[in-house]
Amino acid sequence: MSAAQESALSGAGIARYEHALMGTYGTPMRMLERGEGNFVWDADGNRYLDLLGGIAVNALGHGHPAWVKALTDQAATLAHVSNFFATAPQIALAERLLTLAEAPEGSRVFFSNSGAEANEAAFKMARKTGRDTIIAFEGGFHGRTMGALAMTHKPAIREQFGPMPAGVVFLPANDAQALRAAVAEAGDNLAAVIAEPIQGEAGVRPLDHDFLTLARELTSAAGALLILDEVQTGVARTGAWFAHQLFGVQPDVMTLAKGLGGGFPIGAVVAFGDRAGQLLGKGEHGTTFGGNPMGAATALATLDAIEQENLLVNAKTVGAHLTSRLEALEGVLEVRGEGLMLAIGLAQPQAPQIAAAAVDAGFIINPPSPDTIRLVPALTLSVAEADSFIDWFSSYLEDNPGSQDGGR
Ligand SMILES: *Cc1c(COP(=O)(O)O)cnc(C)c1O
């Protein structure tokens, strides 16, 4: 269905959207109404295979029965208390995350509501070391609040919001020499290095194994924190519970959000070991909603389903299948990423046109840059569902080989 054929229902909804909501996101592609499994339906009744998963959020797809039951049961039992009180789901979730992260004794968890807020807490932990310099990487994305933004390089999203919190130094990713030099220059003023193991918003660009290992060695030697932002890579996305486990590198601080609640907003900071675990003390940080029972119950249900339904294995299997079929296509330069966090590197800068054609054909995909298509579907995606997209995509590329100007 083309935009011109859109029904009055969807069109009128989007007009009201644009009238009532701030223009921070641009015009929505569609107005969505409901979801089931790996599919969503728009207001006009059209069905789409969801290969974006709410940007790596809907780990179990849409309407997963155990997730819905956990949320509704918890809502009916106890929806929210303040952090003057403890609740069983919150304690169980903290313990579970420490176990899954193989965190040593003394490790601690802090709950937030989003990825940016998790990174704000990590930023404050870096400040609490009493040191000033934080090293972050070009291409990294850590969120839109001021502390998270201060650690995010992309000029287009920072430019008009200065002055930023001070002390952040940006380096090219995977440049060992630059990292050694910057760590040496900061000396005992180095508070932290923050990195995504696989840069998501930059278009699924993994750090080199050796580079992340070097970051671990240098921060340990300097007595600084290694903060890994696993907001996108965490919670089974890459086929491991956390991406750092694929690299064999344990951070001092790990931040989580996106997939953790399976669609309910929740974030977390995992501090590894006694020192990191004790950095923020009484009164030094907090949030009203963080760790509330509904967020904790839905996160527990998400982790349970990932385990019971073997979704770590499914992410690996379906990801490998997608990778090998996509790599074989004419017009595809490379496939990057791990598990179900994948990017298709295109020979021509036609990603926006492909994404627009895909949604018309019933597939939701995402173009983070002109030559990249990102796929971060639910971890429940089947091989048959993946194939339905690849079949469409390969015939699209045959019909539209692209040109140097990116047209079709
Ligand atoms: C999405 C994302 C964030 C920001 O999370 P929000 O929940 O949008 O605040 C931070 N870091 C990474 C790596 C992300 O992908």
Side-chain angles (χ1 to χ4, degrees):
M1 194 185 71
S2 76
Q5 291 168 296
E6 257 173 46
S7 83
L9 184 64
S10 193
I14 288 175
R16 282 171 55 205
Y17 174 103
E18 301 216 286
H19 188 71
L21 283 99
M22 283 191 200
T24 52
Y25 303 108
T27 302
M29 290 197 287
R30 293 288 191 276
M31 211 171 125
L32 298 181
E33 202 162 75
R34 72 188 172 90
E36 192 182 322
N38 295 316
F39 292 93
V40 290
W41 283 261
D42 70 15
D44 303 316
N46 301 301
R47 189 182 85 153
Y48 305 88
L49 179 65
D50 184 2
L51 295 164
L52 180 57
I55 317 183
V57 167
N58 303 310
L60 307 179
H62 301 273
H64 189 285
W67 184 92
V68 172
K69 185 174 187 320
L71 178 59
T72 51
D73 283 357
Q74 191 59 51
T77 307
L78 187 66
H80 176 79
V81 297
S82 69
N83 281 306
F84 291 117
F85 299 92
T87 63
Q90 170 195 59
I91 298 165
L93 179 60
E95 290 173 347
R96 185 76 168 276
L97 288 175
L98 293 173
T99 303
L100 294 176
E102 301 163 290
E105 185 52 37
S107 302
R108 297 279 191 278
V109 176
F110 176 84
F111 288 116
S112 66
N113 309 294
S114 68
E117 284 176 64
N119 286 328
E120 290 294 328
F123 193 109
K124 286 176 75 173
M125 291 169 75
R127 287 283 200 253
K128 268 303 290 289
T129 63
R131 300 161 168 217
D132 293 331
T133 305
I134 297 174
I135 293 174
F137 297 102
E138 294 169 10
F141 179 81
H142 303 296
R144 304 287 198 141
T145 55
M146 291 307 284
L149 194 56
M151 300 189 292
T152 298
H153 178 257
K154 196 176 181 181
I157 67 172
R158 289 163 62 91
E159 233 150 43
Q160 300 175 73
F161 303 101
M164 293 284 151
V168 182
V169 174
F170 292 103
L171 303 177
N174 292 326
D175 184 336
Q177 213 181 334
L179 182 60
R180 284 183 196 283
V183 169
E185 187 176 336
D188 58 13
N189 204 21
L190 182 67
V193 171
I194 182 167
E196 295 162 83
I198 302 172
Q199 293 184 333
E201 297 309 295
V204 187
R205 298 188 178 276
L207 291 190
D208 295 339
H209 181 272
D210 290 351
F211 184 75
L212 196 57
T213 306
L214 178 67
R216 175 66 286 178
E217 285 167 9
L218 293 175
T219 44
S220 294
L225 302 172
L226 178 63
I227 302 170
L228 291 183
D229 179 344
E230 295 229 31
V231 167
Q232 191 161 158
T233 55
V235 196
R237 173 62 40 198
T238 64
W241 279 109
F242 307 106
H244 70 257
Q245 294 167 331
L246 294 174
F247 288 79
V249 167
Q250 191 176 74
D252 302 294
V253 180
M254 168 172 71
T255 56
L256 299 171
K258 291 199 165 82
L260 180 58
F264 195 93
I266 179 172
V269 182
V270 179
F272 289 74
D274 238 359
R275 178 191 173 216
Q278 305 289 340
L279 276 170
L280 294 176
K282 189 177 173 191
E284 292 176 342
H285 198 50
T287 162
T288 300
F289 293 113
N292 95 41
M294 287 204 290
T298 49
L300 281 167
T302 303
L303 298 175
D304 282 344
I306 289 170
E307 217 158 72
Q308 285 158 16
E309 296 170 26
N310 252 328
L311 297 182
L312 287 165
V313 172
N314 193 64
K316 265 187 256 178
T317 314
V318 180
H321 178 79
L322 272 163
T323 301
S324 70
R325 274 204 70 191
L326 289 167
E327 276 175 347
L329 297 179
E330 187 97 32
V332 171
L333 282 187
E334 59 173 359
V335 178
R336 299 184 296 269
E338 295 283 345
L340 284 173
M341 179 175 180
L342 296 175
I344 308 169
L346 300 165
Q348 302 294 337
Q350 53 182 164
Q353 293 95 320
I354 294 173
V359 76
D360 285 344
F363 301 98
I364 297 177
I365 58 175
N366 168 247
S369 67
D371 62 356
T372 303
I373 301 275
R374 175 171 53 171
L375 306 176
V376 279
L379 307 175
T380 51
L381 189 76
S382 70
V383 167
E385 288 163 343
D387 279 339
S388 72
F389 167 69
I390 299 169
D391 293 343
W392 172 83
F393 183 58
S394 66
S395 64
Y396 178 91
L397 286 178
E398 270 169 36
D399 296 345
N400 303 273
S403 61
Q404 293 308 325
D405 66 5
R408 8 176 195 162

